[in-house]
């Protein structure tokens, strides 16, 4: 049990935000035009056109969070 405590003393805590950043950084990203034209968001095209920036790329997770905030949900 002594070895376990030694290891745990050396491990730095990780926030959920840090984990999310690492996971989302490896996801594919798409432009506003690609997302607006995608089948996935066919019923959300107007909202995406208004909410997304032209010169930025987004993962599906990021877009879903933006839409959820727009709809008044918690993201």
């Amino acid at each position: 049990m002594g070895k376990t405590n030694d290891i745990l003393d050396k491990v730095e805590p990780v926030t959920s935000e840090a984990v999310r950043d690492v996971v989302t950084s490896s996801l594919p990203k798409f432009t506003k035009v690609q997302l607006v034209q995608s089948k996935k968001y066919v019923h959300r095209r107007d909202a995406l056109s208004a909410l997304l920036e032209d010169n930025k790329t987004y993962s599906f997770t990021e877009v879903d969070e933006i839409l959820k905030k727009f709809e008044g949900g918690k993201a």
Side-chain angles (χ1 to χ4, degrees):
M1 191 107 156
K3 287 183 180 183
T4 302
N5 288 335
D6 292 341
I7 293 171
L8 291 176
D9 290 339
K10 295 177 184 179
V11 175
E12 294 182 32
V14 178
T15 64
S16 60
E17 291 83 14
V19 172
R20 184 195 68 216
D21 291 344
V22 169
V23 170
T24 58
S25 69
S26 63
L27 295 175
K29 301 241 180 180
F30 305 93
T31 65
K32 175 180 176 176
V33 171
Q34 289 174 313
L35 291 162
V36 169
Q37 293 176 349
S38 72
K39 291 179 183 179
K40 178 177 176 78
Y41 296 110
V42 68
H43 299 293
R44 304 311 320 253
R45 287 183 175 160
D46 290 339
L48 291 179
S49 292
L51 296 169
L52 302 182
E53 297 177 32
D54 289 329
N55 298 322
K56 191 174 174 184
T57 58
Y58 302 88
S59 69
F60 287 139
T61 303
E62 291 169 322
V63 173
D64 291 342
E65 286 180 18
I66 290 168
L67 288 171
K68 192 172 187 178
K69 285 180 185 177
F70 174 71
E71 294 167 353
K74 250 183 157 179

